[in-house]
Amino acid sequence: MLFERLDLRLTPGEMLQVIGPNGSGKTSLLRLLAGLMPPTDGQILLNGRALAEQREELGRTMLWIGHAAGIKGLLTAEENLTWLCALHQPVSREAIWNALAAVGLRGFEDVPCHTLSAGQQRRVGLARLYLPGPSLWVLDEPFTALDKAAVAQLESHLAQHCEQGGLVVLTTHHEMTLKPAGYRALDLGQCQS
């Protein structure tokens, strides 16, 4: 049992940072919320209905970025984003190039991702946050491999997303310095049996 008696409600404009020691179930909770694994007990609802009953709706409203970059090394940055966006909402080449520029990768659009540094690969995956799409972002360790400037930019972008009515659920060991008004933390270390 990772955690029990966990009861929470999330609404647009909020940011929930899931914290706790290694092994406390942070990634497991995010995978449950993202519909990637079923709960062994209890239920997860999306807009008042069981998550399992609305897989298609979840795919339209949620963007999952795991702790790995989530990109294909043989594809270019542009090809990766084109493919990933096709899963939700296809976007224009111009939008993809603007998203790559937003994460500091202007000029890397046609570079195979296996030649990029770990931080640059991470930024290719995070460029999805700068494209039109789902308003619910579930992010597992999004600050991994980012330099100080990229961390500050991502914090600002996450806060702005919440202030515009988006919803962010994330795990990170990073101490958030910029928190939106709807910020709260959930410590899974206190939810264990």
Side-chain angles (χ1 to χ4, degrees):
M1 174 90 58
L2 288 173
F3 41 80
E4 61 184 356
R5 298 181 305 275
L6 185 59
D7 184 12
L8 62 111
R9 296 177 196 283
L10 303 171
T11 59
E14 290 186 322
M15 175 187 288
L16 177 69
Q17 180 179 359
V18 181
I19 60 175
N22 290 339
S24 62
K26 297 181 299 293
T27 295
S28 294
L29 177 59
L30 264 58
R31 292 178 58 80
L32 287 165
L33 295 175
L36 298 173
M37 61 189 247
T40 56
D41 192 24
Q43 59 182 341
I44 300 170
L45 305 175
L46 175 63
N47 298 323
R49 292 183 33 230
L51 195 63
E53 298 171 4
Q54 45 183 337
R55 306 289 300 163
E56 193 172 313
E57 176 66 16
L58 181 62
R60 280 194 302 274
T61 60
M62 185 204 62
L63 175 62
W64 160 266
I65 298 180
H67 65 273
I71 58 172
K72 304 288 184 191
L74 293 177
L75 298 179
T76 67
E78 179 183 352
E79 290 168 337
N80 267 290
L81 291 175
T82 299
W83 182 79
L84 289 167
C85 288
L87 298 172
H88 295 286
Q89 175 182 351
V91 297
S92 70
R93 183 178 201 200
E94 179 183 4
I96 288 173
W97 282 38
N98 288 339
L100 288 169
V103 295
L105 292 176
R106 173 168 277 139
F108 290 88
E109 299 88 357
D110 295 323
V111 175
C113 287
H114 70 88
T115 65
L116 301 175
S117 72
Q120 289 170 321
Q121 289 180 23
R122 185 65 171 169
R123 287 189 284 165
V124 169
L126 291 172
R128 295 166 63 196
L129 302 176
Y130 292 84
L131 292 165
S135 60
L136 167 57
W137 296 350
V138 180
L139 313 173
D140 192 3
E141 296 291 347
F143 299 101
T144 300
L146 296 181
D147 60 31
K148 190 180 280 190
V151 166
Q153 179 188 5
L154 179 57
E155 274 195 14
S156 175
H157 189 63
L158 296 177
Q160 181 181 27
H161 180 68
C162 292
E163 289 162 6
Q164 294 173 345
L167 174 60
V168 176
V169 180
L170 76 154
T171 62
T172 182
H173 291 287
H174 166 74
E175 181 65 37
M176 303 284 291
T177 57
L178 183 60
K179 300 172 184 172
Y183 172 87
R184 61 186 164 134
L186 170 66
D187 186 349
L188 289 184
Q190 297 178 0
C191 298
Q192 295 176 326
S193 53

Short mmCIF file of all heavy atoms in Angstrom, two decimals, residues 4 19 22 41 54 57-58 72 83 106 122 131 133 141 148-149 155 190:
data_model
loop_
_atom_site.label_atom_id
_atom_site.label_comp_id
_atom_site.label_asym_id
_atom_site.label_seq_id
_atom_site.Cartn_x
_atom_site.Cartn_y
_atom_site.Cartn_z
N GLU A 4 -3.22 5.76 1.54
CA GLU A 4 -4.64 5.46 1.77
C GLU A 4 -5.33 6.71 2.31
O GLU A 4 -4.68 7.68 2.69
CB GLU A 4 -4.81 4.28 2.72
CG GLU A 4 -4.22 4.49 4.10
CD GLU A 4 -4.33 3.25 4.98
OE1 GLU A 4 -4.94 2.26 4.55
OE2 GLU A 4 -3.82 3.29 6.10
N ILE A 19 4.43 16.00 -3.19
CA ILE A 19 5.76 15.87 -2.59
C ILE A 19 5.80 14.63 -1.71
O ILE A 19 4.77 14.03 -1.41
CB ILE A 19 6.15 17.13 -1.79
CG1 ILE A 19 5.16 17.38 -0.65
CG2 ILE A 19 6.23 18.34 -2.70
CD1 ILE A 19 5.54 18.53 0.27
N ASN A 22 11.29 9.54 -1.64
CA ASN A 22 11.36 8.54 -2.70
C ASN A 22 10.60 7.29 -2.26
O ASN A 22 10.69 6.86 -1.12
CB ASN A 22 12.81 8.16 -3.01
CG ASN A 22 13.56 9.28 -3.68
OD1 ASN A 22 12.97 10.18 -4.26
ND2 ASN A 22 14.88 9.24 -3.59
N ASP A 41 -8.33 0.50 -5.21
CA ASP A 41 -9.52 0.76 -4.41
C ASP A 41 -9.89 2.23 -4.62
O ASP A 41 -9.04 3.06 -4.94
CB ASP A 41 -9.22 0.51 -2.93
CG ASP A 41 -10.47 0.49 -2.07
OD1 ASP A 41 -11.57 0.23 -2.61
OD2 ASP A 41 -10.36 0.76 -0.86
N GLN A 54 -14.29 7.38 -19.62
CA GLN A 54 -14.12 8.51 -20.54
C GLN A 54 -12.68 8.67 -21.00
O GLN A 54 -12.10 9.74 -20.92
CB GLN A 54 -14.67 9.78 -19.93
CG GLN A 54 -14.30 10.02 -18.51
CD GLN A 54 -14.98 11.27 -17.98
OE1 GLN A 54 -15.36 12.17 -18.71
NE2 GLN A 54 -15.11 11.35 -16.67
N GLU A 57 -12.24 11.44 -23.66
CA GLU A 57 -12.29 12.78 -23.07
C GLU A 57 -10.98 13.09 -22.34
O GLU A 57 -10.45 14.20 -22.43
CB GLU A 57 -13.48 12.90 -22.12
CG GLU A 57 -13.56 14.23 -21.39
CD GLU A 57 -13.84 15.42 -22.30
OE1 GLU A 57 -14.26 15.23 -23.47
OE2 GLU A 57 -13.59 16.55 -21.85
N LEU A 58 -10.46 12.13 -21.62
CA LEU A 58 -9.20 12.32 -20.91
C LEU A 58 -8.09 12.64 -21.91
O LEU A 58 -7.27 13.52 -21.67
CB LEU A 58 -8.84 11.07 -20.10
CG LEU A 58 -7.56 11.15 -19.27
CD1 LEU A 58 -7.65 12.26 -18.23
CD2 LEU A 58 -7.28 9.82 -18.62
N LYS A 72 11.59 10.60 -29.42
CA LYS A 72 12.34 9.60 -30.19
C LYS A 72 13.65 10.23 -30.66
O LYS A 72 13.65 11.26 -31.33
CB LYS A 72 11.53 9.14 -31.41
CG LYS A 72 10.16 8.59 -31.08
CD LYS A 72 10.27 7.25 -30.42
CE LYS A 72 8.89 6.66 -30.18
NZ LYS A 72 8.91 5.51 -29.34
N TRP A 83 4.54 14.64 -34.34
CA TRP A 83 3.98 13.33 -34.01
C TRP A 83 3.21 13.38 -32.69
O TRP A 83 2.09 12.88 -32.58
CB TRP A 83 5.10 12.29 -33.94
CG TRP A 83 4.61 10.92 -33.65
CD1 TRP A 83 4.04 10.04 -34.51
CD2 TRP A 83 4.63 10.27 -32.37
NE1 TRP A 83 3.70 8.88 -33.85
CE2 TRP A 83 4.04 9.00 -32.54
CE3 TRP A 83 5.07 10.64 -31.11
CZ2 TRP A 83 3.91 8.10 -31.50
CZ3 TRP A 83 4.93 9.73 -30.07
CH2 TRP A 83 4.35 8.48 -30.28
N ARG A 106 15.46 27.58 -30.79
CA ARG A 106 15.43 28.11 -32.15
C ARG A 106 16.73 27.69 -32.84
O ARG A 106 17.80 27.77 -32.27
CB ARG A 106 15.31 29.62 -32.15
CG ARG A 106 15.45 30.21 -33.56
CD ARG A 106 15.06 31.65 -33.65
NE ARG A 106 13.61 31.67 -33.80
CZ ARG A 106 12.80 32.51 -33.19
NH1 ARG A 106 13.29 33.41 -32.38
NH2 ARG A 106 11.51 32.46 -33.38
N ARG A 122 15.01 17.36 -22.96
CA ARG A 122 13.92 17.63 -22.03
C ARG A 122 13.09 18.81 -22.52
O ARG A 122 11.87 18.81 -22.47
CB ARG A 122 14.48 17.89 -20.63
CG ARG A 122 13.42 18.05 -19.57
CD ARG A 122 12.67 16.77 -19.40
NE ARG A 122 11.79 16.83 -18.25
CZ ARG A 122 10.88 15.92 -18.02
NH1 ARG A 122 10.73 14.89 -18.81
NH2 ARG A 122 10.11 16.02 -16.98
N LEU A 131 2.22 24.76 -26.88
CA LEU A 131 1.36 24.52 -28.04
C LEU A 131 -0.10 24.48 -27.60
O LEU A 131 -0.39 24.14 -26.46
CB LEU A 131 1.75 23.20 -28.72
CG LEU A 131 3.12 23.19 -29.38
CD1 LEU A 131 3.57 21.77 -29.69
CD2 LEU A 131 3.10 24.03 -30.65
N GLY A 133 -3.62 23.06 -26.84
CA GLY A 133 -3.96 21.70 -26.47
C GLY A 133 -4.64 21.62 -25.13
O GLY A 133 -5.28 22.58 -24.68
N GLU A 141 8.24 15.22 -12.56
CA GLU A 141 9.61 15.76 -12.49
C GLU A 141 9.96 16.59 -13.73
O GLU A 141 10.96 16.32 -14.42
CB GLU A 141 10.63 14.62 -12.31
CG GLU A 141 10.48 13.85 -11.01
CD GLU A 141 10.86 14.65 -9.77
OE1 GLU A 141 11.47 15.73 -9.88
OE2 GLU A 141 10.53 14.18 -8.68
N LYS A 148 19.32 26.62 -14.72
CA LYS A 148 18.64 27.58 -13.86
C LYS A 148 17.68 28.48 -14.64
O LYS A 148 16.55 28.74 -14.20
CB LYS A 148 19.68 28.44 -13.11
CG LYS A 148 19.09 29.30 -12.03
CD LYS A 148 20.15 30.11 -11.32
CE LYS A 148 20.86 29.25 -10.30
NZ LYS A 148 21.74 30.03 -9.41
N ALA A 149 18.10 28.98 -15.81
CA ALA A 149 17.24 29.86 -16.61
C ALA A 149 16.01 29.11 -17.11
O ALA A 149 14.89 29.65 -17.09
CB ALA A 149 18.03 30.44 -17.78
N GLU A 155 8.80 27.55 -14.47
CA GLU A 155 7.98 27.94 -13.32
C GLU A 155 7.02 29.05 -13.71
O GLU A 155 5.83 29.01 -13.37
CB GLU A 155 8.87 28.43 -12.17
CG GLU A 155 9.37 27.37 -11.27
CD GLU A 155 9.93 27.93 -9.97
OE1 GLU A 155 9.69 29.12 -9.65
OE2 GLU A 155 10.58 27.17 -9.25
N GLN A 190 2.78 11.83 4.42
CA GLN A 190 1.82 11.87 5.52
C GLN A 190 0.57 11.05 5.23
O GLN A 190 -0.30 10.95 6.08
CB GLN A 190 1.41 13.33 5.77
CG GLN A 190 2.56 14.19 6.22
CD GLN A 190 2.15 15.64 6.43
OE1 GLN A 190 1.00 16.00 6.23
NE2 GLN A 190 3.09 16.45 6.84
#
